[in-house]
């Protein structure tokens, strides 16, 4: 995902990239193509790049274990400052490039921001009920006949507190 900047005049430019996830350096849980829509704003001293990433993923739900597919998006913004002194200490959203630079390779940032978009808790749906701890039935498809009357003794103080509040 390379943008040629050598002949660009000051102004706004729009780019759309549609590439296989493997070409960006991504693998499971990603599949299919990754789409990146970018708006580049160029001025004499800087380039501002706003990008939207769309990708398909295949997850296993953390509560019920069901495999599900999902499309997710992520946005990022990077400012490229033209400088004759290239600073190796780039920040997350600020990079230094030379005045002679002729292109910007977005691939590392697209890969990183796609990986950052993976949620910590993967749920097939927001209100997933999970599995019964006794019989293992998926509670999203109906309730089970298990009796959960035995309470772990470690939770008794909380149960007493709950009963006092009601």
């Amino acid at each position: 995902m390379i943008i040629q900047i050598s002949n660009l005049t000051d102004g706004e430019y729009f780019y759309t990239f549609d590439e296989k996830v493997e070409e960006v350096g991504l693998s499971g849980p990603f599949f299919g193509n990754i789409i990146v829509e970018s708006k580049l704003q160029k001025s004499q001293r800087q380039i501002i790049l706003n990008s939207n990433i769309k990708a398909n993923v295949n997850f296993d739900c953390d509560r019920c274990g069901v495999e599900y597919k999902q499309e997710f998006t992520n946005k990022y913004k990077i400012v490229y400052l033209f400088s004759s002194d290239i600073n190796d200490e780039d920040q997350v959203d600020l990079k230094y490039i030379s005045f002679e630079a002729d292109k910007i390779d977005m691939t590392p940032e697209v890969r990183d921001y796609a990986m950052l978009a993976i949620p910590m808790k993967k749920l097939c749906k927001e209100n997933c009920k999970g599995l019964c701890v006794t019989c293992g039935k998926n509670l999203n498809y109906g309730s089970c006949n298990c009796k959960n009357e035995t309470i772990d003794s470690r939770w008794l103080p909380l149960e007493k507190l709950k009963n006092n509040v009601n």
Side-chain angles (χ1 to χ4, degrees):
M1 297 185 178
I2 295 176
I3 297 176
Q4 293 292 339
I5 60 170
S6 57
N7 294 326
L8 294 180
T9 58
D10 292 353
E12 287 187 352
Y13 300 89
F14 297 91
Y15 300 92
T16 300
F17 298 94
D18 187 351
E19 297 186 18
K20 295 192 179 307
V21 294
E22 295 83 10
E23 292 175 12
V24 182
L26 296 170
S27 57
F30 297 93
F31 68 93
N33 286 5
I34 188 164
I35 299 170
V36 180
E37 297 172 341
S38 297
K39 179 175 108 174
L40 183 143
Q41 297 169 295
K42 185 177 184 299
S43 64
Q44 262 186 334
R45 308 281 303 151
Q46 69 182 9
I47 293 175
I48 300 173
L49 186 66
N50 289 295
S51 297
N52 295 319
I53 301 171
K54 291 180 189 174
N56 292 309
V57 289
N58 191 16
F59 290 135
D60 291 329
C61 181
D62 288 340
R63 286 190 188 154
C64 67
V66 171
E67 184 178 310
Y68 69 99
K69 295 176 180 9
Q70 178 182 359
E71 177 184 278
F72 70 84
T73 61
N74 198 7
K75 298 178 182 182
Y76 72 92
K77 175 181 179 179
I78 295 182
V79 176
Y80 296 90
L81 292 178
F82 290 108
S83 176
S84 54
D85 297 325
I86 301 301
N87 186 347
D88 288 336
E89 298 179 21
D90 288 336
Q91 298 173 11
V92 173
D93 55 357
L94 178 65
K95 304 218 180 266
Y96 295 94
I97 58 175
S98 71
F99 287 103
E100 292 80 31
D102 63 338
K103 62 187 171 194
I104 294 174
D105 185 2
M106 299 172 34
T107 306
E109 287 80 17
V110 169
R111 181 181 51 252
D112 292 347
Y113 280 97
M115 293 295 291
L116 286 172
I118 296 175
M120 294 294 284
K121 183 174 273 193
K122 300 162 200 77
L123 299 176
C124 60
K125 55 186 177 182
E126 191 173 320
N127 60 349
C128 177
K129 296 178 182 175
L131 303 174
C132 173
V133 295
T134 306
C135 69
K137 180 178 180 178
N138 188 335
L139 299 174
N140 293 312
Y141 301 124
S143 59
C144 62
N145 297 325
C146 296
K147 303 264 190 237
N148 291 330
E149 294 181 18
T150 58
I151 298 175
D152 188 336
S153 61
R154 294 174 291 180
W155 298 109
L156 286 176
L158 287 176
E159 185 67 27
K160 290 177 186 175
L161 181 63
K162 176 184 165 190
N163 291 335
N164 287 339
V165 171
N166 294 334

